[in-house]
Amino acid sequence: MTDDAPDTPLEMLSSDLLRSRNLTLHKLNVFCTVARYSSVTRAAEHLNIAQPAVTAHLRSLEESLGARLVRKAGRNIELTQAGRRTHLWATEVMQRSSEMFLDLADIKKGVLGKTRIAASMVAGTYKLSEIVIGFQKDHPSSKISVSMSSPYIATEAVLSGDCDFGITLIDPNRDTSRLEMELLWREPLYLVAAIDSTLVGDVAHMHELASLPLVTPPKGQMARELIDEALRAVGVVRTNSVLAFGHPQPILEAIRADIGAGFVFQSALPPEPEKQGIRLVRTPEVDIAMPLFLIYDKNAVFTAPQQQLLDRIRAGFAAPGQPESDESWQE
């Protein structure tokens, strides 16, 4: 290395800052808790320590950084500009520290290749579960856990470091600027009816969709919003939802019982729908697809087994799926 080579980030830090004993994880945790609750009192209650101790930790942290981090705002506490910048850094430090301690605990237990995955409900229940089970059979020493929840919670789990990566829809109300987001595929939703249903024929046109009784996801779920938006685009002002469930399985059961027709994710459909008492209905004017993403922290560093699992997931979602009848259903 030449003498004029640029300094590394650590070399650029002042020696006084690196030697400081006040920049402890405990103090950073106290600061993050105060920022979370906007209150020294509530932070002390949450941490189960005395209020003066919280104040002392804040003052010590401010002295170490040479900047005021918090100020009074009525009965609450708010972050200064320096405090907001420090909070971003402290949150990152705490997240990375949590990941390291979890990894060290796994090493101590002799567990290698542990991976925590967050998934939205449909992705985790169907296609992802098949991929993970296949990977586990090929790599029996791997330790994988998959948690399934709403897209918001799945994204939050990745952002907080509780999960290594996620397979999920993207909640538009969540800040995802810290995440890498790879589009895995756009999952189609197909209109499905009971095999002998008289509610709808083999083709449903726009004028029929306006009055067709539908079994749908509940209002507020992203799948329901996508269905409503697609119907509005062809002139159906109001979706005729007669029954709502938060998971595709009971939606399919209600469709089999001929309560109504319904738009169902491709991955949730059985391999041979008609043998399961349901049939696909063509919708020439309506084409609905839900974008599904692989998400992970931009600074994430994956182990070799995790990289292999990620590659398996990418390949699995890129491969052709159901239904057996091809995309002519939308023609």
Side-chain angles (χ1 to χ4, degrees), residues 45 83 136 139 152 191 220 260 276 306 323:
E45 292 173 351
Q136 184 69 37
H139 302 82
Y152 185 95
L191 184 62
Q276 301 298 321
Q306 288 174 334

Side-chain angles (χ1 to χ4, degrees), residues 6-231:
D7 292 334
T8 65
L10 285 179
E11 291 170 344
M12 293 169 65
L13 291 174
S14 71
S15 58
D16 288 341
L17 185 59
L18 289 175
R19 287 199 302 267
S20 173
R21 296 182 179 180
N22 293 323
L23 288 176
T24 64
L25 291 177
H26 180 60
K27 287 183 173 63
L28 294 181
N29 184 47
V30 169
F31 170 63
C32 289
T33 306
V34 171
R36 176 183 176 186
Y37 288 100
S38 301
S39 167
V40 170
T41 301
R42 289 196 291 274
E45 292 173 351
H46 177 79
L47 295 168
N48 197 28
I49 60 177
Q51 182 175 328
V54 173
T55 302
H57 286 318
L58 285 176
R59 295 292 171 260
S60 176
L61 193 58
E62 288 179 331
E63 290 174 6
S64 295
L65 297 174
R68 189 180 179 188
L69 304 180
V70 299
R71 61 183 169 220
K72 292 284 288 184
R75 295 184 177 181
N76 294 323
I77 293 290
E78 69 178 12
L79 299 182
T80 62
Q81 182 178 359
R84 291 192 294 272
R85 177 62 184 87
T86 302
H87 183 241
L88 291 174
W89 166 73
T91 301
E92 184 75 12
V93 170
M94 296 304 298
Q95 176 183 330
R96 295 302 173 202
S97 299
S98 175
E99 292 172 356
M100 184 194 69
F101 286 125
L102 288 171
D103 289 342
L104 290 177
D106 289 342
I107 292 172
K108 186 176 180 180
K109 296 175 185 176
V111 177
L112 300 178
K114 185 172 183 179
T115 302
R116 299 173 295 275
I117 307 173
S120 51
M121 192 64 67
V122 173
T125 302
Y126 299 101
K127 201 172 187 72
L128 178 62
S129 63
E130 296 174 2
I131 295 170
V132 169
I133 291 169
F135 184 86
Q136 184 69 37
K137 289 181 68 175
D138 295 339
H139 302 82
S141 63
S142 296
K143 303 295 181 182
I144 305 171
S145 65
V146 180
S147 59
M148 290 175 278
S149 56
S150 69
Y152 185 95
I153 294 176
T155 304
E156 183 64 31
V158 177
L159 285 168
S160 67
D162 290 337
C163 289
D164 299 292
F165 56 86
I167 312 297
T168 182
L169 313 173
I170 297 298
D171 191 318
N173 299 314
R174 191 67 180 87
D175 179 12
T176 56
S177 58
R178 285 173 44 207
L179 297 177
E180 292 288 352
M181 296 186 292
E182 297 182 24
L183 179 63
L184 289 175
W185 77 322
R186 297 183 182 276
E187 177 160 16
L189 283 86
Y190 294 101
L191 184 62
V192 179
I195 193 164
D196 296 323
S197 178
T198 60
L199 296 173
V200 64
D202 292 332
V203 181
H205 292 283
M206 182 183 69
H207 66 278
E208 295 175 277
L209 292 172
S211 58
L212 181 64
L214 294 175
V215 183
T216 67
K219 273 190 171 295
Q221 284 197 3
M222 293 178 66
R224 172 64 181 274
E225 293 174 5
L226 195 69
I227 292 168
D228 289 350
E229 182 179 344
L231 293 176

